[in-house]
Amino acid sequence: TRIAKLEKKVKKNKSTITEVKVHDAFDNIKFGVDFRNAVEVLDYKDNETGEEADNSSLLTSRLYLTMAAAPMQGLIFKGKLAIYSTWGAHLYDHSAGLKDWSASSKATDTLMRVKEAYFVYSTKAGDQPVSFSIGRRPSTNGFLANHRENEPEAGSPLAHITNMEVNAAMVKLDWSRFVSGAYTKFVYGRAHTGEAEGVYGDNWEKRFPYADIDSISEDDNVDFFVAVGDAYNNGQYKIMYQWAHIFNTKGRNLTTDVTKVGAGKADLFSLGLQVSGIGDGISDFLDDTTLFVSGAYSYYDADDGYDLLGSGSGESQDGGSVWAGVIFPDMLTESGKIGFEYNYGSKYWTPMTWAEDTAIGSKIAVRGSAYEAYWNFNLFGIEYLPSQIRYTYAQHDYTPNVNCAGWVLSDPVDIEAQDLRFSVSYRY
């Protein structure tokens, strides 16, 4: 009898312990750290004017504090706080005009900002898997850009046309029961809030906080709609697509010369193929080799009386780009990789790549050609110390696409830009 009672008590204790473990597995938030320090050597040369500029030691530190929680089955939260500063940086200067969604991706000051914060709820509508999400999306260092950033996992969109933080709502439909790895995400968000009534101040007219006064200022909201997903993904072959439509995109009023207005709309398309492993078991080297190629197209449709891409004609303009790369084992370290990439962009190629992590500007947005080589490796063979040596060369045949400011005139130029960077991270 005593043995039977003891066994019953042990069984009850096991049940209680199991309940505690299940509770604790969900009732917590997991934190992570990604701390990167880098030194860069920058060099610029305008071959037409002879003007040169350089920086022999740009020193930066970038800290990501990552968060993840799963309070219940099917519901997750993820967040990322960021500080990205140059050594000896000043506090934020309002004249810099940084957006809330871009400041965390540019080496500026020592303020901590929200880079990502969103939740995802996944369920089924009959046999159809569906997910809902809202917040600041994981939309930087997306498909293909993660290789050059030495990040094993890619963000959500195709970096070829979208590499910037976005605040948006998302619905995802999973098609994998029909096609291997296929899904589509439908995303709607806002990139710019038009001018609104002030909340504070002595002016008695400011009595309607946050009221929309676009009709007075011509400063409209800029919203966007994106359809992005995998057309096919079996682990080795991955085909990804994206279409982005921008409402009331920014441009220039040809009459008043005001540039902060809703001047038209834009559409951007991209289609990319990534092959992870060449052949089937031919060799370890080919198994660990990755090839990719991506094509992209941008079309800016100006409203009457406005100009979007700086031509001064008020006409609609389009542009195209090609991006290709190869990543293979370095044959020196256990998990090190060497990568080579090439980018080409036409005169009016204008993607949304505000967050491009290259000090000389967005090489993906280059209007000309860009060449890049990098070595990703673990310092001292320690997996928590991912490091990189990277060299980027850009030949600008047209006005550099700085900040993707489409209303800047795209003139023929002959400008070279180079960036040599060494970085070491602590990632845990």
Side-chain angles (χ1 to χ4, degrees):
T1 302
R2 287 196 301 269
I3 292 175
K5 288 182 178 179
L6 183 60
E7 290 178 344
K8 185 176 181 180
K9 188 175 182 179
V10 170
K11 186 177 181 180
K12 184 178 180 181
N13 287 340
K14 285 183 177 180
S15 178
T16 302
I17 292 172
T18 300
E19 290 180 8
V20 171
K21 287 182 176 180
V22 171
H23 176 271
D24 289 349
F26 291 104
D27 191 24
N28 65 78
I29 184 167
K30 183 178 180 180
F31 289 91
V33 171
D34 186 338
F35 181 50
R36 187 188 75 192
N37 292 276
V39 56
E40 302 187 52
V41 179
L42 312 179
D43 182 74
Y44 305 88
K45 183 178 180 181
D46 189 326
N47 293 317
E48 293 182 333
T49 65
E51 182 182 7
E52 296 186 18
D54 63 74
N55 187 339
S56 61
S57 60
L58 175 67
L59 305 175
T60 62
S61 291
R62 189 196 69 183
L63 172 65
Y64 288 163
L65 179 62
T66 60
M67 299 168 282
M72 59 174 282
Q73 191 70 32
L75 179 63
I76 65 171
F77 165 81
K78 287 193 175 182
K80 183 180 290 185
L81 304 179
I83 294 177
Y84 190 13
S85 66
T86 56
W87 287 18
H90 297 280
L91 291 179
Y92 176 65
D93 179 6
H94 288 277
S95 65
L98 294 175
K99 287 282 189 182
D100 69 318
W101 43 256
S102 68
S104 64
S105 295
K106 299 180 182 300
T108 51
D109 51 42
T110 56
L111 298 181
M112 179 165 279
R113 298 178 171 89
V114 176
K115 185 175 178 67
E116 296 176 11
Y118 63 98
F119 72 84
V120 180
Y121 176 65
S122 300
T123 185
K124 278 191 174 184
D127 294 330
Q128 175 60 56
V130 60
S131 300
F132 307 91
S133 177
I134 191 169
R136 181 160 295 176
R137 308 291 304 155
S139 51
T140 59
N141 299 335
F143 183 55
L144 304 183
N146 61 300
H147 301 298
R148 64 185 302 274
E149 291 302 322
N150 196 14
E151 295 186 359
E153 300 296 330
S156 179
L158 280 76
H160 205 163
I161 59 174
T162 304
N163 198 16
M164 56 183 280
E165 288 91 346
V166 298
N167 300 302
M170 181 274 292
V171 175
K172 176 184 176 181
L173 299 177
D174 191 318
W175 315 118
S176 58
R177 68 187 192 278
F178 304 117
V179 180
S180 177
Y183 70 86
T184 303
K185 292 180 180 179
F186 302 97
V187 184
Y188 192 95
R190 177 160 295 171
H192 172 78
T193 297
E195 189 171 349
E197 287 282 8
V199 181
Y200 303 105
D202 297 329
N203 189 339
W204 70 272
E205 292 181 348
K206 294 186 179 297
R207 59 192 186 278
F208 306 118
Y210 301 111
D212 187 353
I213 57 173
D214 291 344
S215 59
I216 300 174
S217 68
E218 290 190 289
D219 185 8
D220 296 332
N221 294 331
V222 177
D223 291 353
F224 58 87
F225 174 79
V226 174
V228 58
D230 282 359
Y232 179 78
N233 184 1
N234 69 350
Q236 182 177 15
Y237 297 95
K238 178 177 180 178
I239 301 173
M240 198 168 187
Y241 59 88
Q242 181 174 333
W243 164 53
H245 179 80
I246 305 171
F247 305 89
N248 289 326
T249 189
K250 297 302 174 181
R252 181 167 59 91
N253 188 311
L254 294 174
T255 302
T256 65
D257 206 36
V258 175
T259 59
K260 206 170 186 180
V261 295
K265 56 184 179 294
D267 289 279
L268 299 97
F269 305 88
S270 184
L271 181 66
L273 167 66
Q274 177 175 284
V275 181
S276 302
I278 309 303
D280 184 12
I282 299 175
S283 69
D284 291 342
F285 181 86
L286 291 178
D287 286 345
D288 291 333
T289 296
T290 299
L291 295 172
F292 69 79
V293 62
S294 177
Y297 173 77
S298 64
Y299 177 72
Y300 284 74
D301 187 11
D303 290 342
D304 291 340
Y306 293 93
D307 182 40
L308 294 185
L309 296 186
S311 66
S313 65
E315 297 178 354
S316 299
Q317 304 287 353
D318 60 359
S321 173
V322 174
W323 183 9
V326 57
I327 306 97
F328 52 85
D330 62 9
M331 306 298 288
L332 299 172
T333 64
E334 183 176 351
S335 57
K337 294 291 185 70
I338 292 175
F340 295 97
E341 296 186 10
Y342 171 75
N343 293 79
Y344 170 79
S346 64
K347 179 178 181 179
Y348 290 115
W349 164 239
T350 309
M352 297 291 103
T353 56
W354 293 71
E356 186 62 33
D357 191 6
T358 301
I360 57 174
S362 171
K363 70 112 179 183
I364 295 176
V366 68
R367 291 166 173 169
S369 297
Y371 304 86
E372 191 167 63
Y374 47 86
W375 177 29
N376 298 332
F377 60 97
N378 294 331
L379 189 64
F380 308 127
I382 300 174
E383 63 175 323
Y384 304 113
L385 298 177
S387 304
Q388 183 186 69
I389 299 175
R390 189 173 78 188
Y391 172 72
T392 308
Y393 172 86
Q395 168 62 49
H396 298 282
D397 296 333
Y398 299 94
T399 305
N401 204 359
V402 178
N403 288 342
C404 307
W407 50 87
V408 176
L409 183 62
S410 183
D411 283 330
V413 298
D414 184 4
I415 298 176
E416 299 178 46
Q418 301 180 68
D419 178 8
L420 176 62
R421 183 177 84 172
F422 170 74
S423 66
V424 58
S425 301
Y426 171 74
R427 188 179 295 163
Y428 181 74

